[in-house]
Structures are given as structure tokens and as C-alpha cells.
Amino acid sequence: MSLRLATFNVENLMNRFDFSGFRNQLNQDRTLALFEIKDEAEYRRLEQARAIAHADDARQLTALAVAETRADIICMQEVDNIEALRAFEYGYLFKMIGQGYRQKYTTAGNDSRGIDVAVMMRTETADGEPIEFVRMTSHAHVTFEEFGLHTPELTALGIEPFERIFRRDCLEVDVRIAGRPLTIYSVHLKSMTGSRNGLSGREGSMPIRFAEAKAVRRIIEDRFGRDHAGDKRWVICGDFNDYRQRTVISGDAFSGFYFEVVNETVSSLDVLLADGFAQNIVERRPELDRWTLYHTRGPEERHLCQLDYILLSPALARANADVVPDIVRGGQPWRTVFPPGQEVERYPRAGWDRPKASDHCPVAVTLSIR
């Protein structure tokens, strides 16, 4: 009996408009930056028109990427709310592709922009086995003080012990697959934003991700017992906004690209992986073929890396020792640099930079649930 599981950061699946770009140019779309706008009322009208015009192409590509995962259950990041998820599932996945998800779950987390984690499930697997929802538990309320995870590094960032750990949530979803229990932890860790005090965005935000990863582990160990967690069926899915390895790109399209794999000395993923607590099954793929995101800030800063993860408990990893996950890359924009032999056919109407399904690639795997 098998289950097809996937994770995908769909990037800003919103059902509202963001007008903050009128006062904060960092939030302003580059299209509107081309024009002189006389006042906020005009900006709001133009932003509404722009967002609506761009959304349909983007969500068609997002739906194609979701459909290609063939997932029975998919964990999603950057979902505005349940209404946005319902509109996307019905209008694009069901009406456009003919593949819908009847069961949809999310809850308001801690992100100031309102982007949350969510889970969509079919009523049965591709093999016809029933998928039963048991319960959903949010851990958005957990504080640094409550879990004993406040550190001097967090103090230096101005973060107080009473503040909440997760920048979004750790959503715990219990299901039964043909009567067999499985627990899914859907997460979206702190983004690598804002260099400060001479540190890069990744380095400066690392203390928060370390705390979030430790909190996820604590939640699992509290649930199943520290000595027994490895024997249970659980999986952690989501965007960790961190990596243990990246592929640095040099050269150009004319002289040729060069790819160098670089191992990182520090990563928040080590909290969950270093001692075998969980297994990153994407690492079963060749080193150059593990990436789920292309990052660039111009020719001096380009790399491929894995930000999107499906981490299996030791028990699930043993039961699926020969399973290698798929990474869906057809929704990538044309600017993404692919290593030789990895090029894929892009979805129709994918643009140089946009439209795109997302900057992230879905990760999907077929698991045996014994």
C-alpha cells in the first residue's frame, strides 16, 4: 500500500491585494515602478489591475506543477487562507486540470504578511485506499521561553523570550492511510532576508531557523517519546529556507556555465539530520540534481540549492530504502540555469522571469506505508 506525498511553496497564493508598495518601494512590483503615479488612489487601482492580470498565468502554471506531482497529499507554503486555497483548488486544479482535492486544511500562523502553511488531501490514494483525516494541531503559539530555546544570539536580534518561535507555524496533521497512522508536520521556516551587522541574510537569520528546527524536533519527541520517535511513521514537509549544500554557478550562456558543489559548515537542517533523527531522502539523488530553487542576485551571486524537503522518520526511511523522490521543474522560469542533462520542457507560457509556477520546485515521493 503506497501514498504519494509532495511539498510545494506556491509563492503568495493570495485572495487580497497588497498596497504597501505605495509607501515602501521594496514591496512595489517592478511593473508599477516604471510609471509615474500621482497618488495612492491611482496606485491602488493600478495594483489591482496588475495583480489580477498577472495572477491567472501564474496560477495556471502552479496548477500544472501540482498536477505533475500526482500527490495524494500535498503540503503547501505561502497560502493566504482557506478561501484562497478553495478558489485555487476549484478554479485551477479541478476545473482546469480535472484533478481536485476535497480535503483542505490550514490555520492562521504568525507571519505578518498572512502567508500560512496548508495541507490538501484526496479522499483516497491512487490505489484506491482511503485517506482519513484524524486531527490537525497548530503549534504557532509556542514561545522560546516555553521550550527553553532562547539564546544570546536571539537577544542580539532583539527577540524576547516571550515571543513565538515559528515565523509561520508547525502544522501537525494526523491521518490514516487504509487504517495505518501517519503524522505530517507541515512547516515553513524563517526566510533568509535582511543582511545586518556584517552578516549575510542567511547568517543573520540562522538563530531563528535553528530554534524553529529544534522546536519541530521537540514537538515530535514530546509526541512519540524521545526513545521511540524513530520507530513511528512521521514526515516533515516544507520550505526550510536553508541548505546543507549548494551548487555555485559561474560562466555564462556564451562561454558556458560551470557548476561547483559546495558543502556548508553550518545549517539548521543539522538539528534534524546530523544524528539520524530524520532522513533527507532528496540526498539519495546525485549532488548536482538535488536543487529545488535557483538563486541569483546578478552574475556574481548564482547558485542552485535545496530549500524544499521531505524528511522521513527512521522507520519510514527503512521501509522505503530504495525510494528516490521526484523534483518537478517544468514550472521554472527560463532564466533558471539547469546543469547539463537536467533540462526539462517548460510549461506553456512560462516566461523568462515570469509567469512561473514558483521559484520553488515541488518535491514528491511515493512511500510504502506498512
Side-chain angles (χ1 to χ4, degrees):
M1 190 272 294
S2 63
L3 171 76
R4 184 76 171 171
L5 179 68
T7 185
F8 187 21
N9 184 332
V10 296
E11 288 189 338
N12 299 315
L13 180 58
M14 300 290 194
N15 70 343
R16 57 190 163 89
F17 299 105
D18 180 4
F19 301 117
S20 63
F22 179 73
R23 291 183 172 81
N24 185 352
Q25 288 188 342
L26 293 176
N27 296 340
Q28 186 177 115
D29 185 85
R30 67 189 182 210
T31 308
L32 295 188
L34 294 170
F35 299 94
E36 183 178 348
I37 301 172
K38 63 182 180 181
D39 55 33
E40 185 170 1
E42 182 179 30
Y43 179 85
R44 284 174 172 262
R45 289 193 298 271
L46 291 172
E47 172 57 26
Q48 288 175 321
R50 182 207 66 80
I52 292 170
H54 287 194
D56 184 56
D57 280 347
R59 293 313 163 198
Q60 287 191 52
L61 299 177
T62 303
L64 289 171
V66 170
E68 192 174 343
T69 68
R70 298 176 289 111
D72 302 314
I73 300 177
I74 182 166
C75 297
M76 305 170 75
Q77 300 86 50
E78 298 199 12
V79 174
D80 197 354
N81 49 44
I82 194 67
E83 289 76 18
L85 191 58
R86 286 171 178 158
F88 170 70
E89 187 273 339
Y90 179 70
Y92 289 87
L93 288 174
F94 178 68
K95 291 184 72 175
M96 189 183 97
I97 297 172
Q99 299 179 16
Y101 290 81
R102 293 288 184 89
Q103 305 182 73
K104 295 175 273 292
Y105 305 96
T106 188
T107 187
N110 299 324
D111 190 278
S112 59
R113 293 167 52 208
I115 53 174
D116 301 317
V117 294
V119 177
M120 292 198 306
M121 304 189 299
R122 302 192 191 281
T123 55
E124 60 182 33
T125 69
D127 297 329
E129 302 287 358
I131 301 174
E132 177 189 357
F133 172 81
V134 178
R135 65 175 172 266
M136 177 179 73
T137 305
S138 168
H139 296 279
H141 62 279
V142 176
T143 66
F144 295 99
E145 187 175 45
E146 183 180 349
F147 272 17
L149 292 177
H150 198 260
T151 64
E153 291 79 10
L154 292 167
T155 299
L157 294 175
I159 296 173
E160 301 290 344
F162 60 80
E163 293 186 45
R164 296 180 175 187
I165 297 174
F166 293 109
R167 287 305 179 259
R168 281 93 182 185
D169 199 352
C170 173
L171 200 60
E172 183 177 1
V173 179
D174 287 291
V175 298
R176 290 192 183 97
I177 313 299
R180 296 175 175 86
L182 174 70
T183 303
I184 300 167
Y185 295 90
S186 181
V187 302
H188 185 189
L189 302 192
K190 175 73 175 75
S191 59
M192 294 183 279
T193 55
S195 57
R196 56 187 294 176
N197 301 326
L199 299 176
S200 68
R202 178 172 181 263
E203 294 168 327
S205 55
M206 188 70 77
I208 301 175
R209 282 192 302 281
F210 259 97
E212 289 178 312
K214 289 178 180 178
V216 172
R217 180 164 180 162
R218 164 75 177 270
I219 289 165
I220 295 172
E221 290 179 339
D222 285 353
R223 166 74 185 276
F224 299 109
R226 181 173 296 181
D227 296 331
H228 303 287
D231 300 324
K232 305 300 182 180
R233 296 188 198 95
W234 50 263
V235 58
I236 310 169
C237 295
D239 175 2
F240 278 68
N241 271 309
D242 206 352
Y243 45 81
R244 298 209 293 176
Q245 191 178 66
R246 61 195 171 102
T247 300
V248 177
I249 303 170
S250 58
D252 55 44
F254 302 100
S255 61
F257 290 106
Y258 302 91
F259 303 87
E260 178 187 7
V261 176
V262 177
N263 294 315
E264 299 297 321
T265 57
V266 178
S267 171
S268 61
L269 270 299
D270 293 339
V271 171
L272 299 165
L273 300 176
D275 63 351
F277 176 77
Q279 185 176 132
N280 174 20
I281 54 172
V282 170
E283 291 184 354
R284 296 176 180 177
R285 297 172 65 96
E287 286 186 323
L288 279 179
D289 200 14
R290 297 172 181 172
W291 62 274
T292 66
L293 181 131
Y294 169 60
H295 168 83
T296 180
R297 294 185 188 274
E300 300 304 316
E301 187 178 341
R302 294 175 298 177
H303 66 252
L304 300 164
C305 62
Q306 183 191 359
L307 293 188
D308 306 276
Y309 295 84
I310 295 178
L311 308 183
L312 301 185
S313 71
L316 270 180
R318 288 192 300 269
N320 295 274
D322 298 325
V323 171
V324 178
D326 300 311
I327 300 176
V328 176
R329 299 184 176 129
Q332 285 287 290
W334 283 93
R335 63 176 171 81
T336 301
V337 179
F338 284 68
Q342 293 184 24
E343 296 85 355
V344 297
E345 184 177 354
R346 305 300 210 283
Y347 300 145
R349 297 168 70 181
W352 175 254
D353 184 51
R354 64 185 185 196
K356 60 191 174 187
S358 170
D359 277 335
H360 295 256
C361 301
V363 179
V365 65
T366 300
L367 297 174
S368 173
I369 309 295
R370 301 173 188 169

PDB file of all heavy atoms in Angstrom, residues 10-25:
ATOM      1  N   VAL A  10       4.074  27.528  -3.086  1.00  0.00           N
ATOM      2  CA  VAL A  10       3.364  28.044  -4.245  1.00  0.00           C
ATOM      3  C   VAL A  10       3.531  29.553  -4.421  1.00  0.00           C
ATOM      4  O   VAL A  10       3.065  30.125  -5.403  1.00  0.00           O
ATOM      5  CB  VAL A  10       1.867  27.703  -4.178  1.00  0.00           C
ATOM      6  CG1 VAL A  10       1.659  26.201  -4.246  1.00  0.00           C
ATOM      7  CG2 VAL A  10       1.238  28.268  -2.911  1.00  0.00           C
ATOM      8  N   GLU A  11       4.182  30.207  -3.467  1.00  0.00           N
ATOM      9  CA  GLU A  11       4.506  31.633  -3.536  1.00  0.00           C
ATOM     10  C   GLU A  11       3.273  32.542  -3.629  1.00  0.00           C
ATOM     11  O   GLU A  11       2.714  32.758  -4.700  1.00  0.00           O
ATOM     12  CB  GLU A  11       5.466  31.942  -4.693  1.00  0.00           C
ATOM     13  CG  GLU A  11       6.877  31.438  -4.432  1.00  0.00           C
ATOM     14  CD  GLU A  11       7.876  31.922  -5.462  1.00  0.00           C
ATOM     15  OE1 GLU A  11       7.472  32.290  -6.585  1.00  0.00           O
ATOM     16  OE2 GLU A  11       9.068  31.923  -5.139  1.00  0.00           O
ATOM     17  N   ASN A  12       2.897  33.067  -2.483  1.00  0.00           N
ATOM     18  CA  ASN A  12       1.899  34.143  -2.416  1.00  0.00           C
ATOM     19  C   ASN A  12       0.568  33.800  -3.090  1.00  0.00           C
ATOM     20  O   ASN A  12       0.111  34.520  -3.984  1.00  0.00           O
ATOM     21  CB  ASN A  12       2.467  35.429  -3.019  1.00  0.00           C
ATOM     22  CG  ASN A  12       3.692  35.913  -2.263  1.00  0.00           C
ATOM     23  OD1 ASN A  12       3.715  35.938  -1.040  1.00  0.00           O
ATOM     24  ND2 ASN A  12       4.720  36.299  -2.991  1.00  0.00           N
ATOM     25  N   LEU A  13      -0.023  32.698  -2.655  1.00  0.00           N
ATOM     26  CA  LEU A  13      -1.366  32.348  -3.129  1.00  0.00           C
ATOM     27  C   LEU A  13      -2.354  33.208  -2.345  1.00  0.00           C
ATOM     28  O   LEU A  13      -2.858  32.827  -1.290  1.00  0.00           O
ATOM     29  CB  LEU A  13      -1.644  30.861  -2.927  1.00  0.00           C
ATOM     30  CG  LEU A  13      -3.011  30.355  -3.370  1.00  0.00           C
ATOM     31  CD1 LEU A  13      -3.259  30.641  -4.841  1.00  0.00           C
ATOM     32  CD2 LEU A  13      -3.154  28.869  -3.076  1.00  0.00           C
ATOM     33  N   MET A  14      -2.618  34.413  -2.871  1.00  0.00           N
ATOM     34  CA  MET A  14      -3.370  35.437  -2.141  1.00  0.00           C
ATOM     35  C   MET A  14      -4.787  35.596  -2.692  1.00  0.00           C
ATOM     36  O   MET A  14      -5.025  35.389  -3.878  1.00  0.00           O
ATOM     37  CB  MET A  14      -2.663  36.791  -2.248  1.00  0.00           C
ATOM     38  CG  MET A  14      -1.253  36.807  -1.679  1.00  0.00           C
ATOM     39  SD  MET A  14      -1.284  36.670   0.113  1.00  0.00           S
ATOM     40  CE  MET A  14       0.401  37.141   0.516  1.00  0.00           C
ATOM     41  N   ASN A  15      -5.705  36.015  -1.822  1.00  0.00           N
ATOM     42  CA  ASN A  15      -7.024  36.446  -2.285  1.00  0.00           C
ATOM     43  C   ASN A  15      -7.282  37.894  -1.875  1.00  0.00           C
ATOM     44  O   ASN A  15      -8.427  38.324  -1.747  1.00  0.00           O
ATOM     45  CB  ASN A  15      -8.122  35.518  -1.759  1.00  0.00           C
ATOM     46  CG  ASN A  15      -8.344  35.645  -0.261  1.00  0.00           C
ATOM     47  OD1 ASN A  15      -7.498  36.174   0.461  1.00  0.00           O
ATOM     48  ND2 ASN A  15      -9.474  35.150   0.210  1.00  0.00           N
ATOM     49  N   ARG A  16      -6.211  38.653  -1.668  1.00  0.00           N
ATOM     50  CA  ARG A  16      -6.302  40.074  -1.309  1.00  0.00           C
ATOM     51  C   ARG A  16      -5.176  40.823  -2.014  1.00  0.00           C
ATOM     52  O   ARG A  16      -4.207  40.219  -2.494  1.00  0.00           O
ATOM     53  CB  ARG A  16      -6.178  40.259   0.208  1.00  0.00           C
ATOM     54  CG  ARG A  16      -4.899  39.676   0.780  1.00  0.00           C
ATOM     55  CD  ARG A  16      -4.889  39.651   2.302  1.00  0.00           C
ATOM     56  NE  ARG A  16      -3.867  38.748   2.806  1.00  0.00           N
ATOM     57  CZ  ARG A  16      -2.625  39.103   3.062  1.00  0.00           C
ATOM     58  NH1 ARG A  16      -2.234  40.344   2.869  1.00  0.00           N
ATOM     59  NH2 ARG A  16      -1.760  38.220   3.508  1.00  0.00           N
ATOM     60  N   PHE A  17      -5.308  42.103  -2.062  1.00  0.00           N
ATOM     61  CA  PHE A  17      -4.297  42.947  -2.706  1.00  0.00           C
ATOM     62  C   PHE A  17      -3.337  43.513  -1.660  1.00  0.00           C
ATOM     63  O   PHE A  17      -3.719  43.751  -0.510  1.00  0.00           O
ATOM     64  CB  PHE A  17      -4.965  44.099  -3.457  1.00  0.00           C
ATOM     65  CG  PHE A  17      -5.894  43.644  -4.546  1.00  0.00           C
ATOM     66  CD1 PHE A  17      -7.272  43.698  -4.376  1.00  0.00           C
ATOM     67  CD2 PHE A  17      -5.398  43.145  -5.730  1.00  0.00           C
ATOM     68  CE1 PHE A  17      -8.133  43.289  -5.371  1.00  0.00           C
ATOM     69  CE2 PHE A  17      -6.257  42.721  -6.741  1.00  0.00           C
ATOM     70  CZ  PHE A  17      -7.627  42.795  -6.558  1.00  0.00           C
ATOM     71  N   ASP A  18      -2.104  43.721  -2.065  1.00  0.00           N
ATOM     72  CA  ASP A  18      -1.089  44.303  -1.195  1.00  0.00           C
ATOM     73  C   ASP A  18      -0.753  45.696  -1.726  1.00  0.00           C
ATOM     74  O   ASP A  18      -0.137  45.840  -2.780  1.00  0.00           O
ATOM     75  CB  ASP A  18       0.161  43.427  -1.194  1.00  0.00           C
ATOM     76  CG  ASP A  18       1.264  43.983  -0.294  1.00  0.00           C
ATOM     77  OD1 ASP A  18       1.030  45.005   0.385  1.00  0.00           O
ATOM     78  OD2 ASP A  18       2.361  43.399  -0.286  1.00  0.00           O
ATOM     79  N   PHE A  19      -1.166  46.710  -0.986  1.00  0.00           N
ATOM     80  CA  PHE A  19      -0.939  48.094  -1.419  1.00  0.00           C
ATOM     81  C   PHE A  19       0.241  48.743  -0.704  1.00  0.00           C
ATOM     82  O   PHE A  19       0.460  49.948  -0.819  1.00  0.00           O
ATOM     83  CB  PHE A  19      -2.198  48.936  -1.176  1.00  0.00           C
ATOM     84  CG  PHE A  19      -3.417  48.427  -1.906  1.00  0.00           C
ATOM     85  CD1 PHE A  19      -4.531  47.983  -1.211  1.00  0.00           C
ATOM     86  CD2 PHE A  19      -3.442  48.382  -3.288  1.00  0.00           C
ATOM     87  CE1 PHE A  19      -5.656  47.526  -1.873  1.00  0.00           C
ATOM     88  CE2 PHE A  19      -4.555  47.923  -3.981  1.00  0.00           C
ATOM     89  CZ  PHE A  19      -5.673  47.488  -3.265  1.00  0.00           C
ATOM     90  N   SER A  20       1.015  47.959   0.049  1.00  0.00           N
ATOM     91  CA  SER A  20       2.111  48.537   0.839  1.00  0.00           C
ATOM     92  C   SER A  20       3.218  49.117  -0.027  1.00  0.00           C
ATOM     93  O   SER A  20       4.011  49.930   0.442  1.00  0.00           O
ATOM     94  CB  SER A  20       2.687  47.485   1.783  1.00  0.00           C
ATOM     95  OG  SER A  20       3.257  46.400   1.051  1.00  0.00           O
ATOM     96  N   GLY A  21       3.266  48.725  -1.299  1.00  0.00           N
ATOM     97  CA  GLY A  21       4.307  49.236  -2.179  1.00  0.00           C
ATOM     98  C   GLY A  21       4.203  50.719  -2.466  1.00  0.00           C
ATOM     99  O   GLY A  21       5.172  51.334  -2.930  1.00  0.00           O
ATOM    100  N   PHE A  22       3.050  51.315  -2.188  1.00  0.00           N
ATOM    101  CA  PHE A  22       2.923  52.752  -2.421  1.00  0.00           C
ATOM    102  C   PHE A  22       3.858  53.528  -1.503  1.00  0.00           C
ATOM    103  O   PHE A  22       4.455  54.536  -1.918  1.00  0.00           O
ATOM    104  CB  PHE A  22       1.484  53.206  -2.188  1.00  0.00           C
ATOM    105  CG  PHE A  22       1.280  54.686  -2.388  1.00  0.00           C
ATOM    106  CD1 PHE A  22       1.292  55.235  -3.670  1.00  0.00           C
ATOM    107  CD2 PHE A  22       1.106  55.537  -1.305  1.00  0.00           C
ATOM    108  CE1 PHE A  22       1.124  56.598  -3.862  1.00  0.00           C
ATOM    109  CE2 PHE A  22       0.933  56.905  -1.486  1.00  0.00           C
ATOM    110  CZ  PHE A  22       0.945  57.436  -2.764  1.00  0.00           C
ATOM    111  N   ARG A  23       4.013  53.076  -0.256  1.00  0.00           N
ATOM    112  CA  ARG A  23       4.892  53.766   0.699  1.00  0.00           C
ATOM    113  C   ARG A  23       6.241  53.091   0.861  1.00  0.00           C
ATOM    114  O   ARG A  23       7.196  53.723   1.299  1.00  0.00           O
ATOM    115  CB  ARG A  23       4.188  53.851   2.056  1.00  0.00           C
ATOM    116  CG  ARG A  23       2.989  54.795   2.041  1.00  0.00           C
ATOM    117  CD  ARG A  23       2.341  54.924   3.414  1.00  0.00           C
ATOM    118  NE  ARG A  23       1.334  55.982   3.395  1.00  0.00           N
ATOM    119  CZ  ARG A  23       0.115  55.837   2.938  1.00  0.00           C
ATOM    120  NH1 ARG A  23      -0.265  54.667   2.431  1.00  0.00           N
ATOM    121  NH2 ARG A  23      -0.753  56.840   2.954  1.00  0.00           N
ATOM    122  N   ASN A  24       6.326  51.813   0.539  1.00  0.00           N
ATOM    123  CA  ASN A  24       7.582  51.074   0.670  1.00  0.00           C
ATOM    124  C   ASN A  24       7.973  50.514  -0.692  1.00  0.00           C
ATOM    125  O   ASN A  24       7.394  49.538  -1.155  1.00  0.00           O
ATOM    126  CB  ASN A  24       7.428  49.950   1.691  1.00  0.00           C
ATOM    127  CG  ASN A  24       8.730  49.215   1.957  1.00  0.00           C
ATOM    128  OD1 ASN A  24       9.734  49.422   1.283  1.00  0.00           O
ATOM    129  ND2 ASN A  24       8.711  48.348   2.950  1.00  0.00           N
ATOM    130  N   GLN A  25       8.960  51.150  -1.316  1.00  0.00           N
ATOM    131  CA  GLN A  25       9.341  50.750  -2.670  1.00  0.00           C
ATOM    132  C   GLN A  25       9.864  49.318  -2.732  1.00  0.00           C
ATOM    133  O   GLN A  25       9.815  48.685  -3.793  1.00  0.00           O
ATOM    134  CB  GLN A  25      10.385  51.711  -3.223  1.00  0.00           C
ATOM    135  CG  GLN A  25       9.827  53.088  -3.569  1.00  0.00           C
ATOM    136  CD  GLN A  25      10.849  53.945  -4.294  1.00  0.00           C
ATOM    137  OE1 GLN A  25      12.040  53.673  -4.250  1.00  0.00           O
ATOM    138  NE2 GLN A  25      10.371  54.984  -4.966  1.00  0.00           N
TER     139      GLN A  25
END
